[in-house]
Amino acid sequence: MTAVPRRRMVPAYLATGGRSRPGTAGFERLTVLCATGTEPSPESPELEAEHRRLWELLRPGALTVVEAAAHLRLPVSATVFLAADLVEAGCLRARAPIPRAQQTDRTIVERLLVGLRALR
């Protein structure tokens, strides 16, 4: 029988400090997070071990909120709280998700193709 990987269960209310709303508004599931050069202060009472784990996860490069939540094995809602705290502390930067591209007008592409063929 194969062993099932142990899943770490952290209740969301523990990771968020019992808060019901993050301090910074505007986080979505696809908000891109990246670490700044500022390291979270160990003396800061509002930053817990989960905050440091998130910051260390993002230190090598950027991830979306959803990806970070999956790596931390936390709910997305709890990860939003952690990220908002670190943004307020100046340890993370958050960027709005990249919007979906609009579909290209087919007539423009066809005219471009006709023009390219005429250059032969």
Side-chain angles (χ1 to χ4, degrees), residues 4-24:
V4 176
R6 290 187 60 199
R7 184 173 165 169
R8 192 170 145 261
M9 298 297 287
V10 176
Y13 64 87
L14 289 179
T16 63
R19 295 173 291 165
S20 62
R21 295 187 183 186
T24 304

Side-chain angles (χ1 to χ4, degrees), residues 45-94:
E46 62 273 358
L47 299 182
E48 301 290 332
E50 299 298 327
H51 291 92
R52 178 161 288 286
R53 286 182 56 222
L54 176 59
W55 184 80
E56 288 175 358
L57 175 68
L58 295 169
R59 203 166 39 165
L63 290 173
T64 62
V65 172
V66 172
E67 292 169 323
H71 283 288
L72 295 174
R73 293 186 175 170
L74 286 172
V76 173
S77 58
T79 307
V80 166
F81 280 87
L82 299 174
D85 291 344
L86 288 171
V87 167
E88 287 177 6
C91 301
L92 288 185
R93 279 192 312 258

Side-chain angles (χ1 to χ4, degrees), residues 26-40:
F27 280 88
E28 297 177 27
R29 298 168 59 88
L30 296 178
T31 298
V32 179
L33 304 171
C34 62
T36 63
T38 307
E39 189 171 342

